[in-house]
Amino acid sequence: MNIDGIPTRTLRAHPERRAIDIIDQTRLPHALHWLRVATLAEAAHAIRAMQVRGAPLIGATAAYGLAIALGQRSDDAWLREAVLTLWETRPTAVNLHWALTRMDRIVAPLPPAEREAAAWQAATQIADEDVAQNLAIGRHGLELLRQLPRRQGSVLNVMTHCNAGWLATVDGGTALAPVYAAHDAGLPVHVWVSETRPRNQGLLTAWELAQHGVPHTLIADNAAGILMREGRVDAVIVGADRIAANGDVANKVGTYLKALACADNGLPFYVAAPRSTIDFDLPEGKDIEIEARDGDEFRRVHGLDERGVPSALQQLPAAEAVANPAFDVTPARLVSAILTERGRCAASHAGLRQLYPEVAGD
């Protein structure tokens, strides 16, 4: 994707320096700041504090975090500690655990002296695969978007939720990959971007769409229903943090409400995600652990003050009881289709198994 017209990935690896550079997404959309990550603790903090967000990018960052850790030490005890430290940073996004399991299987059997180099190679492969998979999702999604009827004129109006674009991956995005593919192919497309309170990831979506020149409009989360009812939305596409074996989808909180509104208005509701987001070991969405985040994320609003300085506004008393679930689960019956790097399938065990017969089990 582009920043000021320059093709850019969200993560830059420097194995010779035993470090990576990431975009500190907690400072977007007001400032683009690259952050150096050179220790296990810094990698874990980047994931936990949401300096990196999005299931695929979290997985890639964890993979590189393990490579960085093995540059500090490479004995068995430290390997176990490093994997556990990264494993416990976020509970819902399965890509994190998928990437660490893959990394551990590669490096654990090796002599300690060979682990660091192998880890950097494996992490780079995970990152490159993410880019290739997202481009494939974009190609399959473009075919789908071309077929959709347009309710108002020639422009295709797509709604999304949270940030499942370039910033949530190493490059290309998941839910936004078809949108970028459509825009680059000359298909007129406009994106309705919901703000996604309380972390406001929609602001990141708006920022990256603007960087790439894609027409879009930012809306309050609760405006989604009326836009659908007025015929101003042709389809909704979201990403996912975990997809259960039966097609239930965990995604940023508020996704379920959009799926319900789509069902009531006869609109397609699509989920775009790579293989690493599908958890074939988890039978149903009710078994997905939903992360409960700090209530202060809800009590405080972050932005710039009148001087343009980053500030936090206390909108609720510190003692006010709040609930802050980070995700919800959309049942498979509300999902029109799942888009992956292998194509489109029904949101069901049979549909996912058709795309991935080698891993889906019986």
Side-chain angles (χ1 to χ4, degrees):
M1 293 290 100
N2 294 328
I3 296 180
D4 296 328
I6 301 173
T8 308
R9 286 189 175 188
T10 56
L11 189 153
R12 300 168 176 169
H14 305 289
E16 74 285 353
R17 301 174 187 172
R18 292 176 169 167
I20 59 173
D21 291 336
I22 60 170
I23 296 174
D24 184 353
Q25 297 190 30
T26 63
R27 298 183 62 172
L28 289 173
H30 305 296
L32 176 63
H33 178 73
W34 287 91
L35 183 68
R36 176 61 54 89
V37 174
T39 68
L40 171 63
E42 289 171 349
H45 175 76
I47 297 170
R48 188 181 301 108
M50 296 178 70
Q51 291 173 318
V52 291
R53 323 182 195 200
L57 182 57
I58 288 172
T61 303
Y64 278 115
L66 186 61
I68 291 169
L70 292 174
Q72 299 173 249
R73 283 170 49 193
S74 57
D75 56 273
D76 289 349
W78 178 245
L79 173 60
R80 298 274 72 77
E81 181 177 343
V83 169
L84 183 61
T85 296
L86 293 164
W87 189 283
E88 293 180 339
T89 51
R90 300 288 300 275
T92 302
V94 73
N95 306 61
L96 169 69
H97 302 154
W98 170 86
L100 289 171
T101 298
R102 175 169 165 174
M103 293 287 292
D104 189 53
R105 287 174 178 170
I106 291 172
V107 301
L110 299 176
E114 298 178 12
R115 286 173 174 168
E116 181 188 4
W120 279 101
Q121 183 178 4
T124 299
Q125 185 175 12
I126 287 174
D128 289 343
E129 284 178 6
D130 176 64
V131 177
Q133 289 172 344
N134 295 334
L135 290 174
I137 290 172
R139 289 193 298 269
H140 295 304
L142 175 57
E143 296 175 7
L144 180 61
L145 294 185
R146 289 188 189 277
Q147 300 168 11
L148 291 177
R150 305 171 199 179
R151 296 188 171 193
Q152 293 190 353
S154 61
V155 176
L156 182 68
N157 282 285
V158 176
M159 182 178 287
T160 191
H161 186 67
C162 192
N163 176 256
W166 160 74
L167 286 167
T169 66
V170 178
D171 201 359
T174 55
L176 289 189
V179 171
Y180 286 126
H183 175 76
D184 292 345
L187 179 67
V189 61
H190 167 266
V191 183
W192 294 107
V193 181
S194 61
E195 60 182 346
T196 319
R197 286 273 293 140
R199 291 298 302 223
N200 289 336
Q201 284 100 319
L203 276 63
L204 307 188
T205 298
W207 180 84
E208 68 167 82
L209 289 171
Q211 292 293 324
H212 203 71
V214 180
H216 63 280
T217 304
L218 189 67
I219 62 169
D221 292 343
N222 288 337
I226 190 171
L227 292 172
M228 294 184 197
R229 187 172 182 180
E230 291 178 347
R232 302 172 70 183
V233 180
D234 297 312
V236 173
I237 305 178
V238 300
D241 287 83
R242 184 176 299 211
I243 299 175
N246 71 336
D248 292 345
V249 175
N251 194 49
K252 185 57 62 179
V253 67
T255 301
Y256 178 40
L257 295 179
K258 284 187 170 55
L260 289 170
C262 281
D264 191 54
N265 288 277
L267 292 172
F269 178 87
Y270 300 116
V271 175
R275 160 65 188 96
S276 55
T277 305
I278 304 169
D279 189 350
F280 285 105
D281 294 327
L282 195 75
E284 298 179 8
K286 65 180 180 62
D287 300 317
I288 296 174
E289 180 182 357
I290 300 300
E291 178 182 4
R293 292 191 61 83
D294 192 332
D296 280 346
E297 291 183 349
F298 184 58
R299 297 185 187 97
R300 297 173 182 169
V301 178
H302 294 266
L304 302 181
D305 64 16
E306 64 277 4
R307 298 167 297 167
V309 177
S311 302
L313 174 68
Q314 188 82 21
Q315 69 171 353
L316 290 172
E320 183 69 43
V322 301
N324 188 19
F327 304 93
D328 59 27
V329 176
T330 299
R333 61 181 171 81
L334 296 177
V335 179
S336 303
I338 294 175
L339 290 167
T340 81
E341 75 281 358
R342 292 191 182 180
R344 177 177 29 158
C345 73
S348 65
H349 187 275
L352 291 168
R353 182 174 181 176
Q354 185 177 6
L355 283 187
Y356 300 97
E358 73 281 6
V359 293
D362 296 326

